[in-house]
Amino acid sequence: REGENHPDPIVESQSLAGVTPPDVTYKHHLSAEVKAKKLSNAQLETVLYSMMRFNQELPSGERAGFFLGDGAGVGKGRQIAAIIKEFWATGGRRVLWVSTSRDLAYDARRDLDDIGCSNVAVHPKNKDSPPTGNLDKHYKDGVLFITYSLLTVKGKSPAGGGRGRGKKKGRQHSDEDFEAEEPDPFKPAKGPGSRQANRAMSAARKEADRQQRIDSLSAQGSRLNQIKEWLQGPKRKGEDALIIFDECHRAKNLLDANGGCTMTGLAVDILQTLLPKARVLYSSATGASEPQNMMYMRRVGSYGFADMKEMITSLNKSGLGGVEMFAMGLKATGAYLCRTLSYRDAEFRLETIDIDPAFKILYDRSTQFWSLLLSVLRNLPRGENGGRDPRKGLFWAAHQRFYKGLLIAAKVNPCVKF
């Protein structure tokens, strides 16, 4: 292996450790950084396999992507910076780094500086949002660092409309207008076979809502469209762009159990569709916790299935073992790495501690408060439709969170003394 060992022992799960990844065929440009010990051999491995994947094409015609699933302590930020440096060395000049908070832009700048990328600009500076309009006028090259929430800012749809919530009043309708209106296509059916019909209408309603969201996200003036045009570059092809979805589990609800979707999941999926030749890196320590949460990872490949939806459906039927086999397959194809810090030499023990008298008083008073609150809840009038009262669920959820925090707080000082 090239490079020094990682400063701390890192390990893989037993199943992944038994899988041999493909032979490395990529020649990197990071010899100076490896020699200066700015990258460990494990971190360099991520750079090599990600660049190998970016040189491959999926059956759909899209460029293949890479999934970095390392846990805390392995250095995902340093690895992302190293991938950007390697991408820069191969001629790439435009990078989109999507994360959860603008505050993390300072960490991105630090990681780039540490790896020797001080010449690569991070836009926008400070905590400002990118300007509206043509970004080419403001940022020629560099890393555009944005949040997932910015990615979902909508534009004006070509039809221009909505539901008439503007200030201008529409014309008054006559009785004839109402009689001529078409029936609601999503109105619940009644009678024999209504259950199947209503189920189909519910699916149609969700699909219509999904399409409306897609139109608003990709419309002219939307942030998604603005960023897409910047990533396409002067040639408007987008082949020399790198997209990094950091903490990508934020997009996990592209398709939830009820068939709905979130704006974040849709935005991530649409951006990959609009730029089929862009390089895509997914980074998250919890990205593959459930099959449903991987729907947006279209660039890892669907491996013989028609699309990601069909593959996820099959994985859901296979249970946890199916997900584990899928992760092993991803590593075997060079599309996935997942390491974490070793617990070697770590010690675990249980200690019985004495609770501080002040916490005992606080606990007794809190029980009186929650008992009073429960009495008030029980005496509130019930809803007209009867059935289960949702307020009780909210009450007991808040009750559980409160005592969890209180009990943890009671143990902090004794834990520090140990």
Side-chain angles (χ1 to χ4, degrees):
R1 277 191 168 191
E2 185 180 359
E4 298 288 329
N5 290 331
H6 200 71
D8 297 303
I10 57 175
V11 295
E12 293 179 293
S13 66
Q14 187 174 3
S15 58
L16 287 178
V19 177
T20 302
D23 293 334
V24 175
T25 57
Y26 182 82
K27 302 296 184 182
H28 65 84
H29 303 79
L30 302 174
S31 298
E33 287 71 30
V34 174
K35 187 176 181 180
K37 300 181 181 180
K38 294 180 179 179
L39 281 175
S40 68
N41 52 19
Q43 293 171 332
L44 178 62
E45 184 181 27
T46 298
V47 179
L48 296 175
Y49 280 115
S50 62
M51 297 304 292
M52 284 172 58
R53 281 287 291 180
F54 296 156
N55 289 332
Q56 299 174 22
E57 188 176 276
L58 299 174
S60 62
E62 297 176 311
R63 189 188 294 270
F66 184 81
F67 180 18
L68 176 60
D70 286 347
V74 184
K76 287 196 293 294
R78 177 67 64 90
Q79 294 175 83
I80 292 174
I83 291 172
I84 293 175
K85 184 175 179 66
E86 180 64 23
F87 173 66
W88 208 264
T90 59
R93 289 296 180 268
R94 297 196 174 185
V95 181
L96 176 67
W97 191 332
V98 190
S99 193
T100 56
S101 170
R102 271 293 305 167
D103 294 334
L104 297 175
Y106 296 104
D107 296 331
R109 178 72 272 171
R110 178 204 64 212
D111 288 325
L112 286 168
D113 290 342
D114 291 344
I115 204 66
C117 278
S118 301
N119 61 314
V120 179
V122 177
H123 310 296
K125 294 182 178 180
N126 303 319
K127 292 186 179 181
D128 300 332
S129 293
T132 57
N134 188 357
L135 289 178
D136 285 319
K137 296 179 180 179
H138 306 276
Y139 313 137
K140 184 178 180 181
D141 296 319
V143 177
L144 181 61
F145 193 98
I146 66 169
T147 62
Y148 285 98
S149 57
L150 184 73
L151 203 59
T152 61
V153 176
K154 305 176 185 178
K156 295 180 179 179
S157 60
R163 297 196 176 186
R165 293 184 180 179
K167 294 181 179 180
K168 294 183 180 181
K169 293 183 178 180
R171 69 179 181 86
Q172 297 295 321
H173 289 279
S174 65
D175 293 339
E176 289 78 13
D177 292 328
F178 287 112
E179 290 176 1
E181 287 183 358
E182 295 182 2
D184 181 6
F186 301 130
K187 185 178 180 180
K190 297 180 181 180
S194 60
R195 179 177 297 181
Q196 291 81 356
N198 288 334
R199 190 177 299 149
M201 283 190 290
S202 177
R205 183 187 295 109
K206 290 175 181 177
E207 182 58 32
D209 178 65
R210 177 187 175 89
Q211 188 58 50
Q212 187 178 26
R213 293 185 179 190
I214 291 174
D215 293 341
S216 63
L217 282 171
S218 55
Q220 192 68 29
S222 67
R223 284 294 193 179
L224 193 65
N225 187 68
Q226 177 198 35
I227 293 166
K228 181 260 297 184
E229 292 181 348
W230 182 77
L231 288 173
Q232 284 178 330
K235 296 181 180 179
R236 295 301 179 200
K237 292 184 178 181
E239 295 181 357
D240 297 324
L242 170 62
I243 302 174
I244 300 163
F245 293 117
D246 196 7
E247 305 296 342
C248 60
H249 53 266
R250 286 293 298 271
K252 64 182 182 181
N253 290 326
L254 174 59
L255 185 67
D256 59 27
N258 297 320
C261 59
T262 62
M263 296 297 287
T264 300
L266 269 180
V268 168
D269 187 58
I270 294 170
L271 186 60
Q272 296 176 81
T273 303
L274 294 175
L275 297 169
K277 298 301 182 181
R279 297 157 177 81
V280 178
L281 173 69
Y282 309 101
S283 174
S284 174
T286 58
S289 56
E290 295 181 18
Q292 205 73 21
N293 296 345
M294 299 186 291
M295 185 72 74
Y296 63 92
M297 294 187 187
R298 55 189 300 153
R299 297 297 184 88
V300 299
S302 53
Y303 298 93
F305 292 92
D307 51 28
M308 285 296 291
K309 185 176 181 180
E310 184 178 306
M311 186 183 72
I312 296 300
T313 301
S314 178
L315 288 176
N316 277 326
K317 295 177 180 178
S318 302
L320 187 60
V323 179
E324 192 171 0
M325 290 293 294
F326 177 65
M328 294 168 65
L330 287 181
K331 183 185 175 182
T333 57
Y336 180 52
L337 285 176
C338 180
R339 292 77 55 95
T340 187
L341 290 181
S342 170
Y343 287 101
R344 186 194 310 167
D345 300 329
E347 296 182 1
F348 301 88
R349 67 176 187 267
L350 295 176
E351 295 285 348
T352 302
I353 61 174
D354 294 326
I355 300 298
D356 188 283
F359 269 101
K360 292 182 179 180
I361 296 173
L362 181 61
Y363 184 89
D364 292 340
R365 290 179 177 176
S366 69
T367 57
Q368 295 174 9
F369 167 77
W370 283 99
S371 296
L372 175 62
L373 197 59
L374 180 60
S375 299
V376 172
L377 179 64
R378 286 174 173 170
N379 285 282
L380 289 175
R382 296 178 63 86
E384 295 180 358
N385 57 349
R388 183 180 178 184
D389 190 350
R391 292 174 296 190
K392 288 187 177 180
L394 295 173
F395 172 85
W396 290 114
H399 178 274
Q400 188 176 34
R401 289 194 300 269
F402 175 84
Y403 279 104
K404 178 182 178 181
L406 181 64
L407 294 176
I408 291 175
K411 303 171 187 177
V412 171
N413 287 335
C415 183
V416 171
K417 292 178 181 179
F418 284 120

